[in-house]
Amino acid sequence: MSTRLATGGRLLNKGKPLQFTFNGKRLRGFEGDTLASALLANDQVLVGRSFKYHRPRGIVASGAEEPNGLVNLGEDGTFEPNQRVTTTELFEGLAAESQNHWPSLEFDVGAINTTLSRFLPAGFYYKMFIHPRPLWKHVYEPFIRQSAGLGRAPKVPDADTYEHFHFFCDVMVIGGGVAGLQAAKAAAVTGAKVLLVEQTAQWGGRAPVDGGTVDGKPVDNFVDEMIADLEAMPNVTLRKRLMGAGVYDHGYVLGYEQLRDHAPESSGPRHRLWRVRAGHVVTATGAIERPLSFAGNDIPGVMLASAMRDYVVNYGVSAGDRTVVVTNNDDAYLTAFALVNAGLRVPVILDARVLATDSPAMAEAKALGIRVMMGHGVAKVQGGKRVTGVGICSQAGEGAMLEELACDAVAMSGGWSPVVHLWSHCGGKLVWDEAQAHFRPDVDKAPTGAAGEAFVSPAGAAAGDLRLADVLRSADQAGKAAAEAVGFKHTRAQAPVGETPEEAPMMPVWLMPQGAGAALRSKAWLDYQNDVKVSDVQLAAQEGFESVEHAKRYTTLGMATDQGKLSNINGLATLAGALGSNIPDVGTTTFRPPYTPISMGAIAGEARGAVFQPIHRTPMHDWHDANGAEWEPVGQWRRPYAYVREGESTHDAVMRETKNARENLGLLDASTLGKLIVKGPDAGRFLDMLYTNMMSTLKPGKCRYGLMCSENGFLIDDGVVARIDADTFLCHTTTGGAERIHQHMEEWLQTEWWDWKVWVANVTEQYAQVAVVGPNARKALEKLGGMDVSKEALGFMEWVDGELAGFKVRVYRISFSGELSYEIAVDAGQGQAFWDALMVVGHDLGVMPYGTEALHILRAEKGFIMIGDETDGTVIPQDLGLDWAISKKKDDYLGKRAQERTHMTDPERWKLVGLETLSGAVLPDGAYAVGEGVNANGQRTVIGRVTSSYHSPNLGKGIAMGLVLHGPDRMGEVLEFPGTEGATFKARIVDPVFYDKHGEKANV
């Protein structure tokens, strides 16, 4: 049985016992325990059930690679599924429940799948759930949905908070073992700013458990000295419980910090997502021990040798009283020594190798009285919900049992695989190391930056150096090289010298025994969580899935929550053997971030609830609210739809505001319009590519209307561009387009034109902007005083800086209403005061604020398009009659080639027209125009649709804009538009400009 030992437990505070529950059963542990060590200390060997066959599962590892020990943690607002027992630190009151079973962990009805396993091989669902087709909807799909997933989804909102954190450094070292510590110090002594992160709560990695000396002193002393030295350096930041989750382009690294999981009673955010920009990244992420593939290697009590060693040394926990060790390398002997030194029995070490002479580890084992059997292995493990014994066989044979041996635990070791995930995230290549039978980073093919320079370096075991001396030497070189890569000069200090006993070479063992028959192969597990066996991978190869990526998806190998950390190399080797290929020829699957799962809360950060999409308010928002504004959501902004007076309907308010803007003086809060500053020597060139017309020829002090298309040719935004100086432009966007267009610009700058000298800043919220509209607009500004706003001083489509009534302003002579209009920008903090001043001087001029609906009517009267109304993601400028805004002088712009495709130049595309109902009524917005005949589906032929429709108080009738087949060629023709409840509207095709066709009113 597994139990707590009287001795050992270097990480425990035995003076602080803790109470916790597992499946409602009250258990005890100590401060410093993980949930896994505490469960084992209480003889809770069975911790879960596998996904497919519901086989009993026990703890197999001691770190993030654990595939079996997944539990539901917490209750109500702190509930979280699929938490690893090996990485969950114990705390008082922890409540855990096992997953994937019914009605209980001990008795699971789903275990019947084990007896049906011969009918449920790899890929059975691809064949079974196709026929008969009628069963899919009513039988197969409900069954699959019921069976899918592990754990339970939370049912109440998360009670915790989360945050994001940005950090910049010269060198980031990921991994706090001896390699990470040495690399960090080697970089830090050069003066570089260093960030060192470790995903666990302890520094030193495996070294304090495995032993050895550094410069003649015990390795744990070396770890303590290194931490003290690094903490004393002001240019070094150390963080524990922070996982390096992913490495991306341009030195961008994602980190995941667990702040309160070990102390939920403390205050502050639970998790923190780090967004790090590092000049150079060192991956000192260590290595993971591989299991061996033999029949019954999934029975609870079978554990990685290194994990069993961890539990004995770190937590004072034994996995069993009698442990059989099975291995193909010398490292597993350290586990046997740790067990014997703790007073436990190791009846035999089964070593698959046959060596001419005993290695030092073998000799020491025999000296301790441990029986060593070379050339032997496990035929099968006996037991169900826990190990009861093993059958011993010759490794060279087919599994004939030579001896049965009673035991209650098995420690297995199949060698070590460097953790290459982070190295591979951003394109680092791997090379097969034949001697150590693992993939390691190919340092000649590292992830590279924009200029082709390597920006990631592996160190220690993550680089394939498994001996302590090699680990320290490799880490020292990596730290110095990283600092040098970012411009610092490294010192000539020598790397510390590590010493560990000599080891004999390991021997790759991908199946035990090597000639195992079908019965044994069908019980030898590769992926513990997804129930993938050796025989499944061999079947995939037999059925033609020769690509490793195809075999992965066919068998689900490596697709569980551990992402194949234990299973992938054994699976690749099995596939290679089945195909008669070499392992490097088969290759690896794709490593994708994050390294281990990240909570959804951490990804969201503070973006939840009211701040998920923060409501943007203009500086004049409170004034609008106090003066009857009815609000309309526009993007993330709230804009006044209309200012409704007492006793007035919303429609009446819109009509009043629209007429007043044409006849007197209207004020529009235009602060929401996007304002993007584009600056740099290549700014004009950049905007020429973004807009359909030329912007580089625009003179300072001038404005130009521009259209912006996607690379697919479709219209995505429009607005007025003002040139500020030779290198600076201010681009106005639609209200909902500021962030989107900013992102659009940055995407092209960062991915395609990264060497252009252009910078983009979103200054939308830095300014308040007011449109002063109507025949009395100029009079109002003249009453404010301070600058000349006459036609001669400030012509149409010009801008100028100046002062009005003491306010520093930028005045644009532009119009979206067709009236005499000025758009005036002031600092956001002055927005309300400037608005108040305009209301005062406009009192005798008939001033009246107007909202978005009046704005829409005014622009529709002038035939001006609105993004989102006249466009829907399928419309190009040519559809809207905007050919005049497409430059004939430049060779290219985004969307140009797309607009030359056959479909885009099809004469059958619908074109923009104006529409007037014969009765003067308002056409339903979005109504379709129907033609003669029916289409292939027997429906009436559709020949157009309404894009905008309003009642115009200035024209006294309904007006509309729409896209119609051959529209401009059908002027005067009457179309039918079916409405709701059997109504039909008839409308005449007219010019889309209903009011002041020649623009005389705007240019006075």
Side-chain angles (χ1 to χ4, degrees):
M1 61 180 291
S2 66
T3 188
R4 181 81 70 182
L5 299 171
T7 60
R10 73 181 188 93
L11 300 180
L12 299 183
N13 176 9
K14 292 188 176 180
K16 189 173 181 180
L18 301 173
Q19 299 266 358
F20 71 102
T21 63
F22 180 74
N23 288 344
K25 183 166 59 176
R26 297 185 66 83
L27 303 172
R28 293 187 56 174
F30 294 106
E31 183 180 68
D33 263 323
T34 64
L35 179 54
S37 64
L39 288 171
L40 290 171
N42 287 273
D43 195 33
Q44 185 63 54
V45 177
L46 178 62
V47 296
R49 294 280 179 163
S50 64
F51 177 65
K52 183 175 172 183
Y53 298 130
H54 288 247
R55 287 178 63 86
R57 287 287 183 255
I59 296 164
V60 71
S62 60
E65 66 275 17
E66 169 62 35
N68 295 336
L70 300 177
V71 296
N72 297 316
L73 278 186
E75 299 173 341
D76 299 327
T78 60
F79 177 82
E80 193 162 5
N82 293 319
Q83 297 304 290
R84 277 184 176 75
V85 297
T86 51
T87 58
T88 298
E89 298 177 57
L90 197 66
F91 58 83
E92 180 66 30
L94 180 150
E97 295 179 349
S98 54
Q99 302 181 159
N100 204 44
H101 53 72
W102 184 84
S104 70
L105 176 62
E106 293 291 335
F107 178 75
D108 180 15
V109 171
I112 193 173
N113 288 355
T114 299
T115 61
L116 301 174
S117 60
R118 64 176 297 181
F119 304 108
L120 306 173
F124 79 94
Y125 29 79
Y126 295 120
K127 305 166 186 175
M128 176 177 177
F129 296 133
I130 294 178
H131 304 291
R133 289 192 178 276
L135 290 184
W136 170 254
K137 182 176 181 180
H138 302 291
V139 178
Y140 298 151
E141 184 180 14
F143 171 76
I144 292 171
R145 290 191 180 279
Q146 182 65 31
S147 304
L150 293 171
R152 302 193 312 271
K155 295 182 178 179
V156 298
D158 193 334
D160 292 305
T161 60
Y162 305 84
E163 69 180 20
H164 291 178
F165 187 74
H166 294 263
F167 192 88
F168 299 84
C169 59
D170 297 312
V171 176
M172 181 178 184
V173 180
I174 303 174
V178 291
L181 295 172
Q182 180 58 37
K185 185 173 181 181
V189 295
T190 69
K193 183 179 180 181
V194 175
L195 172 63
L196 173 62
V197 303
E198 162 57 37
Q199 67 177 343
T200 70
Q202 293 82 33
W203 299 107
R206 293 210 53 80
V209 175
D210 294 346
T213 63
V214 180
D215 290 339
K217 295 180 288 187
V219 68
D220 48 351
N221 290 358
F222 168 76
V223 171
D224 293 339
E225 291 173 3
M226 291 291 286
I227 293 299
D229 290 346
L230 290 169
E231 287 179 338
M233 293 182 173
N235 58 320
V236 177
T237 300
L238 297 95
R239 302 295 294 192
K240 292 186 292 187
R241 301 186 178 93
L242 200 167
M243 173 191 68
V247 176
Y248 305 84
D249 288 327
H250 307 293
Y252 178 59
V253 181
L254 207 62
Y256 176 52
E257 185 176 19
Q258 296 171 282
L259 298 165
R260 294 196 301 107
D261 282 351
H262 64 293
E265 73 285 351
S266 58
S267 60
R270 180 181 178 186
H271 299 155
R272 178 182 291 145
L273 195 69
W274 285 57
R275 300 174 179 272
V276 182
R277 288 287 182 182
H280 202 90
V281 180
V282 176
T283 57
T285 45
I288 293 175
E289 191 171 28
R290 295 192 297 264
L292 288 167
S293 300
F294 49 80
N297 63 345
D298 67 325
I299 294 175
V302 180
M303 191 180 294
L304 294 174
S306 61
M308 193 171 290
R309 190 157 76 241
D310 288 339
Y311 291 118
V312 169
V313 176
N314 287 336
Y315 307 106
V317 170
S318 74
D321 297 332
R322 288 170 54 87
T323 301
V324 170
V325 178
V326 54
T327 182
N328 64 350
N329 62 81
D330 276 358
D331 185 81
Y333 284 74
L334 297 177
T335 298
F337 303 155
L339 293 172
V340 171
N341 292 335
L344 302 167
R345 290 198 60 192
V346 179
V348 67
I349 297 176
L350 302 175
D351 195 324
R353 300 171 297 177
V354 178
L355 304 179
T357 59
D358 288 349
S359 69
M362 289 179 177
E364 184 176 349
K366 291 178 179 179
L368 289 172
I370 302 174
R371 178 184 173 197
V372 178
M373 297 179 66
M374 285 196 287
H376 287 76
V378 173
K380 66 177 180 179
V381 177
Q382 299 165 341
K385 295 177 183 176
R386 63 171 64 221
V387 172
T388 59
V390 296
I392 300 173
C393 67
S394 170
Q395 171 59 18
E398 297 181 359
M401 201 176 303
L402 305 178
E403 178 182 347
E404 292 188 30
L405 189 65
C407 64
D408 51 4
V410 176
M412 59 180 170
S413 178
W416 291 80
S417 296
V419 176
V420 297
H421 302 64
L422 297 177
W423 166 269
S424 302
H425 283 170
C426 204
K429 302 303 180 183
L430 305 176
V431 63
W432 178 252
D433 187 321
E434 196 69 44
Q436 301 188 94
H438 61 218
F439 283 101
R440 58 175 173 80
D442 185 346
V443 293
D444 295 324
K445 297 178 180 178
T448 55
E453 77 288 356
F455 72 92
V456 182
S457 300
D465 300 306
L466 302 181
R467 302 294 304 282
L468 182 59
D470 298 330
V471 164
L472 293 171
R473 188 183 314 110
S474 163
D476 188 67
Q477 293 171 353
K480 291 174 178 177
E484 187 175 10
V486 292
F488 294 87
K489 293 184 178 180
H490 64 78
T491 64
R492 296 183 179 274
Q494 296 296 312
V497 178
E499 292 185 10
T500 50
E502 289 296 319
E503 294 183 0
M506 62 91 68
M507 181 185 78
V509 173
W510 308 119
L511 182 62
M512 183 172 281
Q514 66 178 22
L520 295 180
R521 294 199 307 272
S522 65
K523 298 296 181 183
W525 304 88
L526 297 171
D527 190 312
Y528 294 98
Q529 193 178 124
N530 275 358
D531 284 327
V532 181
K533 311 179 290 291
V534 168
S535 58
D536 291 328
V537 175
Q538 293 173 334
L539 176 63
Q542 181 180 334
E543 295 196 359
F545 293 91
E546 299 182 0
S547 162
V548 64
E549 294 287 2
H550 292 164
K552 170 183 175 178
R553 284 154 181 81
Y554 187 68
T555 63
T556 71
L557 174 74
M559 293 174 63
T561 57
D562 67 323
Q563 287 292 285
K565 292 180 177 62
L566 293 186
S567 61
N568 272 354
I569 297 299
N570 287 350
L572 295 175
T574 302
L575 181 61
L579 296 174
S581 301
N582 297 318
I583 294 176
D585 294 333
V586 172
T588 66
T589 54
T590 303
F591 297 94
R592 295 184 176 92
Y595 175 61
T596 62
I598 292 176
S599 67
M600 299 297 287
I603 295 172
E606 296 179 349
R608 59 188 295 190
V611 295
F612 175 68
Q613 276 196 335
I615 295 176
H616 293 201
R617 297 179 172 89
T618 74
M620 292 81 89
H621 181 93
D622 292 342
W623 188 96
H624 303 320
D625 202 40
N627 284 271
E630 289 192 356
W631 296 102
E632 177 184 24
V634 184
Q636 294 182 10
W637 292 90
R638 294 296 178 267
R639 300 190 70 181
Y641 180 85
Y643 299 85
V644 182
R645 295 176 178 176
E646 188 174 350
E648 186 179 44
S649 69
T650 302
H651 173 77
D652 291 342
V654 171
M655 297 301 102
R656 169 177 52 79
E657 294 167 8
T658 306
K659 283 185 68 66
N660 188 75
R662 291 269 185 241
E663 296 172 357
N664 297 303
L665 177 63
L667 297 185
L668 174 76
D669 185 353
S671 306
T672 62
L673 294 178
K675 293 171 275 290
L676 305 178
I677 292 178
V678 179
K679 186 176 182 64
D682 293 320
R685 176 188 181 193
F686 175 58
L687 294 182
D688 280 348
M689 287 300 297
L690 287 180
Y691 287 96
T692 61
N693 48 351
M694 294 283 284
M695 293 299 173
S696 58
T697 58
L698 188 62
K699 291 181 170 56
K702 299 289 186 180
C703 302
R704 184 169 293 164
Y705 175 74
L707 304 174
M708 195 177 293
C709 297
S710 69
E711 61 269 35
N712 293 320
F714 301 119
L715 188 56
I716 60 172
D717 208 81
D718 69 342
V720 173
V721 177
R723 189 163 198 166
I724 309 304
D725 57 40
D727 289 346
T728 310
F729 295 79
L730 179 66
C731 302
H732 289 93
T733 75
T734 54
T735 292
E739 283 81 8
R740 175 172 51 85
I741 297 304
H742 186 199
Q743 182 183 28
H744 178 70
M745 290 181 173
E746 285 292 347
E747 179 182 359
W748 285 93
L749 279 177
Q750 294 182 30
T751 61
E752 294 294 329
W753 307 315
W754 54 268
D755 55 339
W756 290 11
K757 295 181 179 179
V758 182
W759 294 265
V760 180
N762 186 348
V763 296
T764 301
E765 297 184 52
Q766 310 308 309
Y767 297 96
Q769 196 150 312
V770 181
V772 183
V773 177
N776 293 331
R778 185 174 289 135
K779 295 175 184 177
L781 300 188
E782 288 171 344
K783 288 182 69 174
L784 285 177
M787 61 186 294
D788 186 357
V789 293
S790 65
K791 178 179 180 180
E792 293 72 25
L794 183 59
F796 189 57
M797 297 302 282
E798 294 180 353
W799 69 269
V800 67
D801 287 335
E803 283 194 8
L804 288 171
F807 295 94
K808 291 184 177 180
V809 298
R810 175 168 290 164
V811 183
Y812 303 93
R813 182 76 168 77
I814 55 181
S815 177
F816 194 49
S817 61
E819 292 294 326
L820 173 64
S821 174
Y822 299 84
E823 288 196 16
I824 304 167
V826 298
D827 289 343
Q830 297 293 313
Q832 184 60 63
F834 184 67
W835 180 275
D836 291 340
L838 284 168
M839 291 298 294
V840 170
V841 299
H843 183 269
D844 297 330
L845 300 172
V847 68
M848 191 182 291
Y850 65 91
T852 55
E853 186 65 3
L855 165 72
H856 282 249
I857 295 174
L858 292 169
R859 67 92 189 171
E861 289 174 344
K862 285 293 298 176
F864 296 152
I865 69 157
M866 176 72 76
I867 299 295
D869 285 351
E870 277 61 58
T871 67
D872 63 356
T874 67
V875 174
I876 61 177
Q878 294 87 338
D879 297 338
L880 303 177
L882 296 175
D883 304 72
W884 58 268
I886 301 175
S887 174
K888 307 296 190 296
K889 298 179 181 178
K890 57 184 183 181
D891 295 330
D892 200 9
Y893 60 82
L894 288 184
K896 178 179 174 66
R897 281 169 288 177
Q899 291 167 3
E900 294 171 351
R901 291 180 296 182
T902 304
H903 172 66
M904 298 296 206
T905 58
D906 187 349
E908 300 299 301
R909 290 184 67 89
W910 295 354
K911 303 290 185 179
L912 185 70
V913 295
L915 297 166
E916 288 182 351
T917 57
L918 301 186
S919 64
V922 178
L923 278 172
D925 209 348
Y928 283 96
V930 294
E932 296 180 357
V934 296
N935 61 20
N937 297 320
Q939 301 164 322
R940 295 187 67 178
T941 302
V942 175
I943 59 173
R945 64 180 174 86
V946 177
T947 58
S948 300
S949 183
Y950 310 95
H951 176 76
S952 167
N954 298 303
L955 300 174
K957 59 184 177 182
I959 62 171
M961 300 167 69
L963 293 166
V964 175
L965 178 66
H966 303 147
D969 300 327
R970 302 170 69 174
M971 287 295 165
E973 188 174 328
V974 176
L975 303 180
E976 285 191 4
F977 293 84
T980 58
E981 299 178 357
T984 298
F985 296 82
K986 291 187 177 182
R988 181 178 289 108
I989 298 177
V990 297
D991 192 300
V993 182
F994 297 92
Y995 180 85
D996 188 24
K997 181 172 179 61
H998 301 293
E1000 295 171 355
K1001 296 198 67 173
N1003 194 26
V1004 296

